[in-house]
Amino acid sequence: MGRIPSLRISSHSFRDYTLIVVVLLSILLLAKFIVFYKDGELDGHSAFYCNVDVNVNVDNDNSRPSEIAEAVAALTPTPKVKPAMEAERAREPGYCEYCTTKDDICKRYGTFNLARSRAYEGPNARLKRVLRKLSSGEKIKIGIIGGSVSGGHGLKDYHTNWSYLYAQYIRETFAPENVELVELINGSVGATVSDYMETCFLEHIPEDVDLVVIELAINDMRLEQLAMGYENLIRAIFALPNRPAVINLQIMALMFSSITMGGDLHTAVAQYYDTPIVSVRNVLLPHIFRSTELNSSDTSVEDYWFHHNGGDIDLRHLGTNGHRILADLLISFTSRVACEGWREEQQAATQQHDIVGGFDWHPEGRIENGVTPSLPNPNEGSDVSEYIPRQSLFQQYDHASVLLPAKPSCQIASPNAKHPLNPLPPPLSTLGPDAFSLWSHPKNPGKVWLTARKPGVTVAFRVRTSAWGRVRVTYLRSESYGLGSVWCWVDEQREKGRRLDGWWQQKNIHVANTHNIAESISPGEHILSCEILKETKDPGGGTEFRIVAVDAL
């Protein structure tokens, strides 16, 4: 047999052949990618981006147009939308145009900043239900629970308050033919905290409210006691007749001893109760950091967003532009939620169900009618998406405990209150010019306290406890107001009373604090008494004492 000739390839020839093969494969892959991208460009699940107009004109007497460049996102090109998608979007309501070319808020802040603002989103079942109620022609009430920022401190025009701007958006978007269907009740009270609001919030907003926006992130210090009060507030709101939706609006202040405040503890509570969080600090603070890092004397960003008190920047209260961004972030968030709800309704109407989850959660992993069942409903028949946890976040977990809703009673220092503080007559309360009476500072008439100044003056109130048997006093504390101390007790048990000190060492923090006077006492009527002491912690010897409220539970 003849020998088969061998094929010999030099190393140079081998490298040449390899290079040719690689080039040919690259060309084929590139051609396939181009065709694939063209056919699948921007499918229905793609994200949309918008261009940012850094020269947007924002009203502020103390700013320049260039200053807002620090508060907006980098430019991002807008992709082309396929005709089929344009037709599909044309059928959607206007609030589904999140970060399209029609979204002015997205143009103003950019997708990056808007994404940062949504600190916690959740499924928003309650908010979607409230918006459906309004869209169907029923009236809704929006209640605001907040401090002096939401109360409009420093604003010259109420129409620039974030709460008004947000309510106007709700009216114009979901009830344009009948804007009277949306009622706004701003129950904000300056210098108050969650401890106070947990039992007294119904003195400021109605019981039949549908949506409550809570803004207490900087009024509350970073204390577990206040986080517990915040939890009790959310639970009490959820227990109201209309099963309200709650949005947590977290503002920021840069004048305290630390950047972190009570709002950072609120975050864990809000997530536990599946209530969304919209944060302005997440958006603004990185830009403030960056501008001052580049130039430590640069105050342009603070100038732009915060209120001006004379010639100084008030780093506690947001100004007109600050209120505008609060409203814009809430509007953007609500539009996303409303659009998601609308799409869910359309999906349900066309029976396009995509059942995801359930199999791994069910102990037997069974399938019913071709789909996997969800978890057993822990809320005994009502929608599990609005389930209220049966235990407090601050309790130890067990299999049996059920935290029942409480029925608080509250009396506040306001002449127009539903339940005003009414001192009992003598001899239980001191009578005359030195007696406790309603008072407000001439420069700030919006904050009212029941005030007295002379040691030995006594005031008493009738209170009614329920299951908890708890009686509390809410009073003002300050390092610079010359505040003194009182001794408070319940019924005839003076020896079991508590001392409350109005003076404290917290500089630049003038807020109401709430303290227990009695716990686990019998349900029913009791007499709460307080007497101004001669002894005071105030270095200047001040003995003035300001009572905000008394409550019983």
Side-chain angles (χ1 to χ4, degrees):
M1 295 178 59
R3 297 178 59 187
I4 299 175
S6 61
L7 179 62
R8 296 186 178 182
I9 303 175
S10 68
S11 60
H12 293 288
S13 300
F14 181 80
R15 285 196 296 268
D16 292 340
Y17 291 143
T18 302
L19 180 60
I20 292 171
V21 171
V22 170
V23 170
L24 289 174
L25 288 174
S26 299
I27 293 173
L28 288 173
L29 288 173
L30 180 60
K32 184 176 181 180
F33 172 78
I34 293 173
V35 173
F36 173 80
Y37 182 80
K38 182 177 181 181
D39 291 341
E41 179 180 349
L42 201 61
D43 63 16
H45 301 287
S46 297
F48 285 83
Y49 300 89
C50 67
N51 291 316
V52 179
D53 181 5
V54 297
N55 293 316
V56 62
N57 184 19
V58 183
D59 296 331
N60 190 306
D61 295 336
N62 303 300
S63 63
R64 299 179 301 274
S66 60
E67 292 172 1
I68 65 171
E70 291 290 343
V72 296
L75 296 176
T76 307
T78 303
K80 296 180 180 179
V81 182
K82 299 175 75 174
M85 291 195 65
E86 291 178 341
E88 181 180 349
R89 176 164 292 108
R91 297 192 298 268
E92 294 185 333
Y95 49 76
C96 282
E97 295 171 345
Y98 174 77
C99 274
T100 66
T101 55
K102 297 180 181 179
D103 188 345
D104 290 336
I105 291 178
C106 191
K107 293 177 184 178
R108 188 174 302 133
Y109 304 105
T111 55
F112 181 86
N113 287 316
L114 292 180
R116 269 187 165 176
S117 73
R118 300 186 297 273
Y120 177 73
E121 289 192 82
N124 293 292
R126 289 174 179 261
L127 181 55
K128 291 172 186 175
R129 170 172 50 77
V130 171
L131 296 177
R132 286 196 302 270
K133 176 181 178 179
L134 176 58
S135 298
S136 66
E138 295 185 61
K139 181 176 181 177
I140 69 165
K141 295 182 179 180
I142 302 175
I144 311 299
I145 295 177
S148 54
V149 171
S150 293
H153 178 90
L155 295 181
K156 297 178 180 179
D157 184 358
Y158 173 73
H159 296 92
T160 61
N161 189 300
W162 71 260
S163 61
Y164 175 84
L165 297 173
Y166 180 61
Q168 283 297 97
Y169 151 79
I170 296 289
R171 294 183 180 108
E172 295 169 359
T173 304
F174 304 101
E177 304 299 324
N178 191 358
V179 295
E180 295 181 355
L181 289 177
V182 180
E183 181 180 353
L184 172 66
I185 305 96
N186 192 337
S188 301
V189 183
T192 53
V193 295
S194 293
D195 254 6
Y196 165 77
M197 283 295 184
E198 71 167 290
T199 50
C200 295
F201 73 96
L202 285 178
E203 294 296 313
H204 306 287
I205 63 173
E207 189 176 27
D208 60 345
V209 69
D210 297 280
L211 169 61
V212 179
V213 184
I214 304 176
E215 175 273 297
L216 292 170
I218 64 169
N219 281 47
D220 282 3
M221 291 187 292
R222 193 184 170 98
L223 301 173
E224 185 173 290
Q225 173 190 342
L226 296 178
M228 295 172 71
Y230 189 77
E231 179 188 40
N232 292 337
L233 172 60
I234 289 180
R235 294 188 71 96
I237 293 172
F238 279 171
L240 293 178
N242 288 350
R243 295 156 53 217
V246 172
I247 300 176
N248 303 273
L249 178 62
Q250 295 192 350
I251 63 173
M252 71 171 182
L254 300 177
M255 64 172 293
F256 301 123
S257 58
S258 66
I259 294 172
T260 183
M261 292 293 289
D264 296 302
L265 296 185
H266 294 175
T267 297
V269 176
Q271 291 174 334
Y272 183 72
Y273 288 93
D274 201 18
T275 57
I277 304 169
V278 176
S279 168
V280 73
R281 189 182 73 185
N282 286 2
V283 177
L284 296 185
L285 192 55
H287 297 289
I288 294 175
F289 277 146
R290 184 58 176 163
S291 68
T292 52
E293 181 181 3
L294 295 174
N295 181 0
S296 61
S297 62
D298 180 19
T299 62
S300 62
V301 182
E302 293 104 312
D303 283 338
Y304 188 78
W305 298 110
F306 284 92
H307 170 61
H308 285 250
N309 186 9
D312 300 324
I313 307 174
D314 178 357
L315 293 178
R316 179 188 178 99
H317 299 97
L318 294 173
T320 300
N321 292 321
H323 276 260
R324 176 180 174 175
I325 191 174
L326 291 176
D328 284 345
L329 297 181
L330 278 172
I331 290 169
S332 179
F333 164 77
T334 305
S335 293
R336 283 171 57 90
V337 172
C339 182
E340 185 178 83
W342 183 88
R343 288 172 177 168
E344 290 170 354
E345 291 180 20
Q346 300 305 303
Q347 186 182 54
T350 56
Q351 297 183 345
Q352 296 177 2
H353 299 293
D354 294 324
I355 305 297
V356 179
F359 181 83
D360 292 336
W361 292 72
H362 198 277
E364 298 178 5
R366 56 192 173 86
I367 297 179
E368 297 177 358
N369 299 323
V371 299
T372 56
S374 63
L375 283 170
N377 192 334
N379 209 22
E380 299 182 357
S382 61
D383 192 350
V384 66
S385 60
E386 298 188 18
Y387 174 64
I388 303 173
R390 61 178 174 81
Q391 285 191 270
S392 164
L393 180 61
F394 298 91
Q395 287 181 296
Q396 183 178 6
Y397 170 76
D398 62 45
H399 282 198
S401 296
V402 177
L403 189 60
L404 298 176
K407 295 182 178 179
S409 63
C410 179
Q411 305 169 47
I412 67 173
S414 173
N416 302 316
K418 300 173 186 176
H419 302 93
L421 271 175
N422 287 322
L424 294 173
L428 295 174
S429 299
T430 301
L431 190 64
D434 296 326
F436 274 89
S437 60
L438 294 179
W439 178 84
S440 63
H441 196 282
K443 293 184 179 180
N444 194 358
K447 295 180 180 179
V448 182
W449 301 277
L450 192 71
T451 306
R453 299 168 179 83
K454 187 175 181 180
V457 170
T458 302
V459 66
F461 311 96
R462 193 179 306 278
V463 296
R464 176 178 289 276
T465 59
S466 58
W468 286 24
R470 185 187 74 185
V471 177
R472 306 190 307 174
V473 173
T474 300
Y475 59 102
L476 187 70
R477 304 199 74 179
S478 171
E479 181 264 347
S480 59
Y481 286 2
L483 301 180
S485 305
V486 297
W487 184 265
C488 296
W489 66 96
V490 173
D491 297 330
E492 303 298 326
Q493 299 181 345
R494 184 183 178 110
E495 71 282 359
K496 295 183 179 180
R498 305 277 176 88
R499 173 171 169 156
L500 307 179
D501 297 307
W503 184 89
W504 65 357
Q505 294 180 331
Q506 303 289 338
K507 293 185 180 295
N508 300 316
I509 300 180
H510 322 286
V511 296
N513 267 214
T514 303
H515 281 84
N516 294 350
I517 305 302
E519 299 173 87
S520 302
I521 61 177
S522 61
E525 285 196 353
H526 298 273
I527 302 297
L528 167 67
S529 303
C530 293
E531 178 182 341
I532 296 182
L533 300 177
K534 184 177 180 180
E535 299 82 13
T536 176
K537 288 189 174 182
D538 177 44
T543 57
E544 179 179 308
F545 199 82
R546 306 181 189 181
I547 298 176
V548 177
V550 301
D551 68 73
L553 195 62

